[in-house]
Amino acid sequence: DAFAKEIYARSFDWLVRTINEATCAEQNYDDAADVQEFGVIGLLDIFGFEAFQVNRFEQLCINYANEKLQQKYTLDVFSSVQEEYEYEGIALGDISYSDNAEVLRLIEGRMGLIAVLNEECVRPNGNDTSFVSKVKTVNKDTASLIDERLHRPTEFAICHYAGPVKYDATNFVTKNTDTLAKDLIECAATSDNELIAQELQNSVKAKAEQAAAAAPTLGRGRSGAVTVSANFRSQLTSLMHNIGKTKTRYVRCIKPNPEKKPIEVDLLSSTEQLRCAGVVAAVNVSRAAFPNRLMHRTALERFSCLSSES
């Protein structure tokens, strides 16, 4: 499985890089050298929030990314409301909105899930049960961490912005140190498929540089390689940094009914999707002050009859 994932990851990276090279202005305009700075239009197709009967390492990573993006979404909505009121000269009182900062601290904080999991990957006898036990011990006062008596030794739950999710930590340590043997990658790099061979050769070089860079730390596994969770957090941080430099617009899509039938809306399912997408939280922020907003022309047309002046 790890080898298949490596080939998929390298092929996907090549595809993204090729698309970016084909569409970037720097390489596709004759007068590109005369332009001081190019604008960027980016499209981000985000993961959907996941909560299954059994949730594992993959769901934790996906929901972690959703928490980061939800925080950005909520702050953008709040900021837009604040800017609008300042422009209109209206005093804005205290607006309370759902803040998921505690959940993010639980996941990525100094003693959060990622740090404890990386520590277990460094320990010679690190295991999933010990990971869950340490997480519950060091974060026992964190309200967003749910510890129930009926939980198994490898189970814990987190109260996400979209609702509580119970995770099964079985194979967390193994998946976090999901590394390939160097000789296997080197063998695959001799493939007749030019794309796979070249991309895996680049992967070999990158892994060699990582191994020679430093001794194992809390962000590294037993072999010295960067762990999956540490790498995911680094990529997510870089993504949020890039998003922070843009003027963001959001498109929220929902499936009106599970059967995908036309002209039919399942209210319960649609509402749940809106809640998981953070739309309900955004509406609560907007209506906390003046929920009704009319354009100046509309207001004049509607209420001009109240004025004594023509």
Side-chain angles (χ1 to χ4, degrees), residues 3 6-7 10 179-194 196-209 211:
F3 183 49
E6 184 74 14
I7 293 177
R10 297 301 155 227
T179 56
L180 287 174
K182 183 180 178 181
D183 56 349
L184 181 59
I185 300 180
E186 291 175 343
C187 179
T190 63
S191 170
D192 293 336
N193 186 305
E194 184 179 347
I196 293 178
Q198 183 60 48
E199 291 302 314
L200 287 178
Q201 285 174 4
N202 295 337
S203 177
V204 169
K205 294 178 183 178
K207 290 179 183 296
E209 292 174 357

Side-chain angles (χ1 to χ4, degrees), residues 227-246:
T227 61
V228 174
S229 61
N231 188 45
F232 187 84
R233 177 176 58 183
S234 176
Q235 292 178 342
L236 185 57
T237 300
S238 176
L239 172 65
M240 297 309 300
H241 176 72
N242 290 332
I243 292 176
K245 295 187 294 184
T246 67

Side-chain angles (χ1 to χ4, degrees), residues 12-308:
F12 187 79
D13 288 344
W14 171 85
L15 178 61
V16 173
R17 189 169 63 250
T18 302
I19 292 174
N20 286 338
E21 290 174 356
T23 57
C24 71
E26 293 88 338
Q27 299 182 25
N28 292 280
Y29 286 90
D30 295 333
D31 58 347
D34 300 329
V35 180
Q36 293 184 350
E37 184 178 2
F38 287 95
V40 176
I41 298 177
L43 299 177
L44 175 64
D45 185 8
I46 67 171
F47 316 97
F49 185 84
E50 293 190 351
F52 303 133
Q53 290 284 21
V54 179
N55 300 283
R56 302 195 185 277
F57 182 73
E58 295 81 4
Q59 280 69 51
L60 177 62
C61 291
I62 288 173
N63 291 340
Y64 167 39
N66 270 275
E67 288 287 356
K68 294 287 282 188
L69 292 165
Q70 176 62 24
Q71 184 184 54
K72 175 72 167 63
Y73 177 59
T74 303
L75 290 175
D76 280 350
V77 172
F78 178 78
S79 297
S80 66
V81 172
Q82 188 176 38
E83 289 174 2
E84 183 180 9
Y85 276 55
E86 290 177 354
Y87 176 77
E88 296 286 349
I90 302 174
L92 181 64
D94 294 333
I95 296 180
S96 60
Y97 59 93
S98 179
D99 185 6
N100 63 346
E102 184 182 67
V103 179
L104 288 172
R105 282 196 298 271
L106 172 64
I107 297 174
E108 64 182 9
R110 189 172 63 88
M111 295 301 294
L113 272 69
I114 293 177
V116 176
L117 182 58
N118 287 335
E119 185 180 358
E120 283 300 302
C121 293
V122 174
R123 288 199 319 117
N125 297 318
N127 58 80
D128 305 319
T129 303
S130 177
F131 158 68
V132 174
S133 177
K134 287 182 179 179
V135 165
K136 291 183 176 181
T137 300
V138 299
N139 295 283
K140 61 182 180 180
D141 296 327
T142 303
S144 53
L145 178 65
I146 303 173
D147 181 13
E148 296 181 353
R149 292 183 179 180
L150 296 179
H151 280 172
R152 295 174 181 174
T154 58
E155 290 181 340
F156 65 95
I158 298 177
C159 187
H160 289 284
Y161 75 90
V165 178
K166 183 173 71 174
Y167 295 95
D168 185 344
T170 302
N171 294 325
F172 264 42
V173 173
T174 301
K175 290 180 178 179
N176 197 39
T177 54
D178 192 10
T179 56
L180 287 174
K182 183 180 178 181
D183 56 349
L184 181 59
I185 300 180
E186 291 175 343
C187 179
T190 63
S191 170
D192 293 336
N193 186 305
E194 184 179 347
L195 170 62
I196 293 178
Q198 183 60 48
E199 291 302 314
L200 287 178
Q201 285 174 4
N202 295 337
S203 177
V204 169
K205 294 178 183 178
K207 290 179 183 296
E209 292 174 357
Q210 283 183 348
T217 63
L218 290 184
R220 299 179 181 271
R222 299 183 182 104
S223 64
V226 177
T227 61
V228 174
S229 61
N231 188 45
F232 187 84
R233 177 176 58 183
S234 176
Q235 292 178 342
L236 185 57
T237 300
S238 176
L239 172 65
M240 297 309 300
H241 176 72
N242 290 332
I243 292 176
K245 295 187 294 184
T246 67
K247 190 172 183 179
T248 315
R249 294 290 183 270
Y250 298 90
V251 178
R252 297 294 190 181
C253 302
I254 65 169
K255 187 165 61 176
N257 61 79
E259 295 78 18
K260 301 180 182 178
K261 294 181 179 179
I263 318 178
E264 183 176 319
V265 178
D266 186 321
L267 293 179
L268 184 61
S269 174
S270 299
T271 303
E272 184 68 13
Q273 291 177 70
L274 290 171
R275 186 174 61 82
C276 289
V279 175
V280 174
V283 171
N284 288 334
V285 171
S286 297
R287 75 178 188 179
F290 293 96
N292 297 320
R293 294 170 171 80
L294 297 177
M295 299 299 292
H296 290 160
R297 183 181 182 85
T298 303
L300 285 173
E301 292 175 348
R302 181 175 298 182
F303 300 109
S304 60
C305 61
L306 300 177
S307 174
S308 59

